[in-house]
Amino acid sequence: MTLDAVVFDLDGVLVESEHLWEENWVAFAARHQVEWTAEDTASVQGMSAPEWAGYLARRCGVPDQADEVERAVVDGMIASIDAGEAPLLPGAGAMVREVSERVPVALASSAARRVIDAVLEKHQLTGEFTATVSSAEVARGKPNPDVYLEAAARLGKSGSECLGVEDSSNGIRAAAAAGLTVIALPNPTYPPKPDALELASAVAESNDDVRLKLLAYLAGEPVAARD
């Protein structure tokens, strides 16, 4: 099968923002006298906004307030993005622009729609993407394949025709389950588990490395699984 489209994750691949999500979850829990732990973060990473909001609401003893929880956390994220606290990762902008000149590009993110749009506008990347999908817009969040299948479909592709770039365990699992050829960019703060990493066809050290691997795959050239 020819690989002729690319689907990127957002948090941890294009922007340095995973820590901002955790900070907002911690802050919301603290307002309800609840300690949010690293285990909680690991549990919700990859979930859609409605899913993690429901989890956080239950942890805080307000299970009927998931909508309010989501709004508060997303408002906090938007404020951080507007303040410049979610910078592009080194090489991310050049990677997206160079790849999008060659093939259709989509985004498949667990972030809420407002966050996706704010990040891409902030970094002037909106026009580079043919399609963007939030996992809140599909039935199930990562590690289920739904958001990647939808992103591929919006490009007019099957999963097996697409490359995917992911940094987290659940993201890698989701992209692989959708049939994508996955390049892993392991998040140094929240590294993917070994069993998830094994699902990746290649592992990159940086976005510059990802860019070179993507271009090689798209050109039909061999790519080493592990450099």
Side-chain angles (χ1 to χ4, degrees):
M1 181 71 70
T2 300
L3 296 168
D4 55 6
V6 177
V7 184
F8 291 103
D9 178 38
L10 180 66
D11 297 302
V13 169
L14 301 186
V15 292
E16 188 174 352
S17 51
E18 294 279 16
H19 65 290
L20 297 176
W21 287 105
E22 186 169 45
E23 288 171 9
N24 277 280
W25 293 327
V26 167
F28 188 92
R31 292 198 292 272
H32 290 78
Q33 291 75 54
V34 172
E35 181 182 0
W36 184 267
T37 68
E39 290 73 22
D40 288 314
T41 295
S43 295
V44 301
Q45 279 181 326
M47 285 184 178
S48 68
E51 290 169 339
W52 60 248
Y55 180 104
L56 179 52
R58 292 189 296 274
R59 282 282 280 115
C60 292
V62 288
D64 59 338
Q65 296 180 25
D67 289 346
E68 290 82 353
V69 171
E70 179 181 339
R71 184 161 48 251
V73 171
V74 170
D75 283 350
M77 287 295 297
I78 296 296
S80 295
I81 293 163
D82 289 344
E85 296 172 6
L88 281 178
L89 287 162
M95 172 182 65
V96 169
R97 291 186 177 97
E98 188 165 350
V99 172
S100 69
E101 289 175 354
R102 288 163 170 74
V103 296
V105 169
L107 189 76
S109 175
S110 297
R113 168 54 59 185
R114 283 200 294 144
V115 171
I116 292 172
D117 293 345
V119 167
L120 296 185
E121 181 178 355
K122 179 75 172 179
H123 297 296
Q124 300 180 327
L125 289 174
T126 304
E128 305 297 331
F129 289 89
T130 300
T132 62
V133 186
S134 166
S135 58
E137 297 163 358
V138 295
R140 302 171 299 173
K142 302 173 185 179
N144 297 293
D146 304 35
V147 69
Y148 274 99
L149 291 171
E150 179 63 21
R154 292 188 190 183
L155 295 178
K157 305 292 182 182
S158 65
S160 60
E161 295 174 291
C162 299
L163 287 151
V165 185
E166 268 287 357
D167 68 307
S168 68
S169 293
N170 283 340
I172 294 169
R173 292 182 181 118
L180 280 74
T181 296
V182 184
I183 298 176
L185 179 63
N187 190 304
T189 306
Y190 310 98
K193 296 184 184 301
D195 67 298
L197 208 53
E198 286 298 317
L199 299 171
S201 296
V203 179
E205 297 180 352
S206 66
N207 272 315
D208 287 332
D209 191 17
V210 173
R211 176 176 54 82
L212 294 174
K213 285 178 166 56
L214 287 172
L215 295 175
Y217 272 118
L218 293 170
E221 299 170 359
V223 177
R226 305 288 190 277
D227 290 334

